[in-house]
Amino acid sequence: MNVVTTVDPRDGRQRDTDLRQTSDAELNSAAAAATGAARWLAGLGRNGRADLLDAVADSLEARRTALVEAAGSETGLARARLDAELTRTSVQFRMFGEVLRDGGYVEAAIDHAADTALGAAPDVRRMLVPLGPVAVFGASNFPFAFSVPGGDTASALAAGCPVVVKAHPSHPLTSQASAAAIAAAVDGAGGPDGTVELVYGEEAGRALVRHPAIRAAALTGSLNAARAIQAAIDERPDPIPFYGELSSINPIVVLPAAAAERPDQIAEGLFGSFTGSGGQLCTKPGLAFVPADPGGDRLVAALRDRVASAGGAVLLNERIRDAFVVREAELERAGARVAARPEIAAGDGFAVAPALLEVDLAGLSADIADECFGPLMVVVRYAAVADLDGALGTVPPSLTGSIHLAAEDDRAVVRGLVDRLGASSGRIVFNGYPTGVRVSWAQHHGGPWPSTNSLHTSVGATSIRRFLRPLAWQDAPEWLLPEELRDDLSTIPRRVDGRLQPGPSAASVGR
C-alpha cells in the first residue's frame, strides 16, 4: 500500500506519515461498519443524537492545542485563523444539537382518517427520515469547518446518518486527529465503530461513492473534483444525490454615492476580504465593480496602497500555488492590467504575492469574470450604473453578490441590482463583504451552478435536509409510529389536519 505523505506549505518540506492509502478490503469494512452504526444512531433518537453532537464539540475543544498545531503545519494558515475555525466547528455541532431538540426539521405532518369531499380517507402521517451512510470529501482550505469534523459531517450525524470521510491529501494528520476526537465522543456515548470512518487516497474516494452502502455524497472543492465524483457516481446501478459546493466569483458592486462617502473604509474591507486566509475562501470576492469617478478613484488608490505594501500569502499546496500563477497570467493576457502587486522574496514554500488587477467595463469578458483561487481581485471600472445590468450577465452564478450603497441611492436602481444578483446567487450582502459565513438557522450557503450543484445549503440549520428523505405511514398502529408522529406528542412543531401546531419555544426545550 502507498504511504500517505504530508507537506508543510510554509517551506515545501514533504514527510512520510504512518498512514496508508485505504485498500478495497478496508473500504468495504468501513462501509459495513457505517451501515451498522446507522441503527445505533437511529436508536439514540433526536435528543440522544443532540447529546452526542455536544460531546463531539467538547472533544474537539479539549484537543484544541494539538489540532491547531497539526493544521498549522499542514495548511500554513495562521494560528488565529485556525483557532477561530475550530471554534466555528464546535459551534456547528452545538447548533445542530439545538436543531434536533427543536424537532421542526423533520417536517412532521398528520392527517387523521376522515370523511372528505372525495370520500373516506385513510390516516396518513409523514416525516423526514435518514438517508443512510454518507460520503464526505474534506476541503483543503478549511481543515476543520469543511473537513472531517465539518458541517457536512455534523449535519449528517444530526440527521442520523453515519459518515465515511475521504481525508483531504493536504492535511491527512489533521484529518486523523479530528477523526480521533469524534471517535472519543462516540465511544463515550457507547457508540460503535462506523459512526464516523476515515479513508485515504483518490482511488478510495472514487470507490467510496460507488459503494452500495453509501446513500449520498457531499464535497466542498473544485469543479474538477466534483466532476470526478459525479463520474464515479454515474457508474452506480442506482443514483445517489451529490451535493457539491464548488466555484464562485462573488461579485461586489460599489455604487457611486457609497464610493464617495467611504472610499477608505470600503478599500480596507475589500482588501481584508480578498486577501484573508490567502484568498483561499469560497466566498472571496473576485470582482469589484467600482465607479470611474473621483470617489471610485480614491477607493481604488487606497486599495492599491494596501496591496502594494502587503506581504506574501502562503497557499495551501503546490497545486493551488501553480494554478494561481497560471490563472493570474491568463487574466493579464485577457486584458486585465496589474494595478498593484508587491515584490516578495522567493522561498521554498508555496507563497505568492497578492495582486490587484484592473479592467474597464468594456473590457470585461467571460475569461476575466471567472474564479482565481487565491489572493487576487479584479476591479472593474464602470461609468454608468445603467451599464451594470448587462455586465453582471457576464459573471457566472455565485454563492454571493454584494452591494455597497448610500442612503441617497435611487431605490429603483438598487432593487434592479438586487433582482439581478438574486437571480444568480444564494446570498446578497449589503454594505459588507461575503467572507465570514455566519453559522445560523437563517443562513444559506449555496447558489446556481457552478457555485453549487443543488438547491440546498452546506451551512446553517437547513443543511440537514440534504441527508433526509420523506416517508409516510398509512393507517399504521400507534406503537409502530415514530414518536414525532404520535398523537400525544406536543414538544415539536407539527402540521395536524392542515393546521400548524408550534412546539414550545427554543428556550424551553429541555436538554
Side-chain angles (χ1 to χ4, degrees):
M1 289 184 289
N2 295 326
V3 174
V4 174
T5 61
T6 183
V7 178
D8 189 329
R10 296 169 294 194
D11 58 17
R13 185 170 61 90
Q14 177 177 296
R15 64 187 189 276
D16 292 341
T17 71
D18 293 331
L19 304 171
R20 298 291 185 272
Q21 293 187 16
T22 303
S23 68
D24 289 344
E26 290 168 334
L27 177 66
N28 287 331
S29 177
T35 300
R39 291 186 287 273
W40 177 73
L41 283 172
L44 284 179
R46 289 182 296 104
N47 290 329
R49 290 200 302 278
D51 291 341
L52 173 64
L53 297 184
D54 285 346
V56 171
D58 291 340
S59 185
L60 291 168
E61 291 285 358
R63 292 162 173 79
R64 176 179 290 273
T65 299
L67 287 169
V68 169
E69 181 177 341
S73 68
E74 292 190 308
T75 67
L77 294 169
R79 182 178 187 88
R81 149 67 204 270
L82 291 169
D83 257 325
E85 185 187 335
L86 187 56
T87 297
R88 167 184 169 165
T89 304
S90 298
V91 166
Q92 286 178 155
F93 276 95
R94 297 189 196 282
M95 182 196 70
F96 281 109
E98 294 308 312
V99 170
L100 289 170
R101 294 181 180 101
D102 172 86
Y105 79 96
V106 301
E107 299 178 11
I110 298 173
D111 291 324
H112 291 104
D115 290 325
T116 73
L118 299 177
D123 182 282
V124 178
R125 304 178 186 223
R126 175 190 182 275
M127 63 179 279
L128 301 179
V129 298
L131 279 177
V134 170
V136 168
F137 290 76
S140 62
N141 56 340
F142 281 90
F144 302 128
F146 281 93
S147 195
V148 173
D152 290 337
T153 296
S155 57
L157 289 176
C161 300
V163 177
V164 183
V165 185
K166 189 268 180 183
H168 197 282
S170 287
H171 50 259
L173 294 176
T174 307
S175 298
Q176 180 190 40
S178 298
I182 298 174
V186 172
D187 185 64
D193 293 341
T195 303
V196 175
E197 292 281 333
L198 195 58
V199 300
Y200 301 89
E202 298 305 314
E203 184 50 47
R206 287 189 288 270
L208 177 61
V209 296
R210 291 194 294 259
H211 199 284
I214 297 301
R215 307 316 304 162
L219 161 77
T220 297
S222 68
L223 282 170
N224 287 338
R227 290 188 174 110
I229 293 169
Q230 187 61 61
I233 290 173
D234 290 342
E235 297 176 20
R236 297 173 58 107
D238 59 327
I240 60 172
F242 170 48
Y243 303 107
E245 194 261 90
L246 311 170
S247 172
S248 193
I249 193 73
N250 305 304
I252 288 183
V253 175
V254 181
L255 291 175
E261 186 179 85
R262 48 186 192 278
D264 289 336
Q265 178 186 339
I266 295 174
E268 181 178 4
L270 280 173
F271 174 75
S273 193
F274 92 84
T275 61
S277 297
Q280 300 167 112
L281 302 175
C282 50
T283 51
K284 183 208 77 173
L287 288 177
F289 292 84
V290 178
D293 62 14
D297 292 343
R298 289 193 295 273
L299 190 160
V300 173
L303 192 52
R304 287 192 194 114
D305 289 344
R306 285 171 170 81
V307 174
S309 61
V314 176
L315 301 190
L316 293 158
N317 56 50
E318 187 174 17
R319 178 186 58 79
I320 290 174
R321 189 274 311 277
D322 291 348
F324 176 84
V325 172
V326 169
R327 179 67 184 132
E328 184 177 7
E330 290 174 344
L331 288 166
E332 291 181 47
R333 286 196 298 271
R337 54 193 179 272
V338 176
R341 181 171 55 207
E343 294 291 333
I344 65 167
D348 296 326
F350 308 134
V352 298
L356 182 70
L357 276 59
E358 194 171 345
V359 69
D360 296 328
L361 191 67
L364 180 63
S365 64
D367 289 336
I368 293 175
D370 203 0
E371 183 181 31
C372 177
F373 195 68
L376 181 148
M377 186 175 70
V378 178
V379 172
V380 183
R381 304 301 300 272
Y382 68 90
V385 175
D387 297 332
L388 288 175
D389 186 71
L392 288 170
T394 306
V395 180
S398 297
L399 293 166
T400 72
S402 303
I403 303 173
H404 283 260
L405 66 159
E408 64 266 31
D409 279 315
D410 185 297
R411 294 189 176 186
V413 170
V414 173
R415 285 195 181 100
L417 285 172
V418 170
D419 289 344
R420 161 60 78 176
L421 293 173
S424 59
S425 65
R427 176 166 58 104
I428 305 174
V429 179
F430 298 92
N431 290 336
Y433 307 92
T435 45
V437 179
R438 179 180 179 181
V439 177
S440 67
W441 289 76
Q443 185 58 267
H444 179 74
H445 189 62
W449 178 270
S451 60
T452 65
N453 66 341
S454 73
L455 301 176
H456 297 277
T457 179
S458 62
V459 179
T462 54
S463 64
I464 194 175
R465 184 63 177 82
R466 298 172 296 169
F467 308 122
L468 298 163
R469 67 180 180 89
L471 181 63
W473 287 256
Q474 182 169 319
D475 289 330
E478 177 85 4
W479 62 270
L480 272 177
L481 292 170
E483 68 169 359
E484 291 86 354
L485 295 180
R486 295 179 183 174
D487 285 332
D488 59 358
L489 186 76
S490 60
T491 56
I492 67 170
R494 304 192 300 180
R495 187 169 293 277
V496 179
D497 295 329
R499 295 183 179 274
L500 184 62
Q501 295 185 351
S505 65
S508 64
V509 175
R511 282 179 174 264

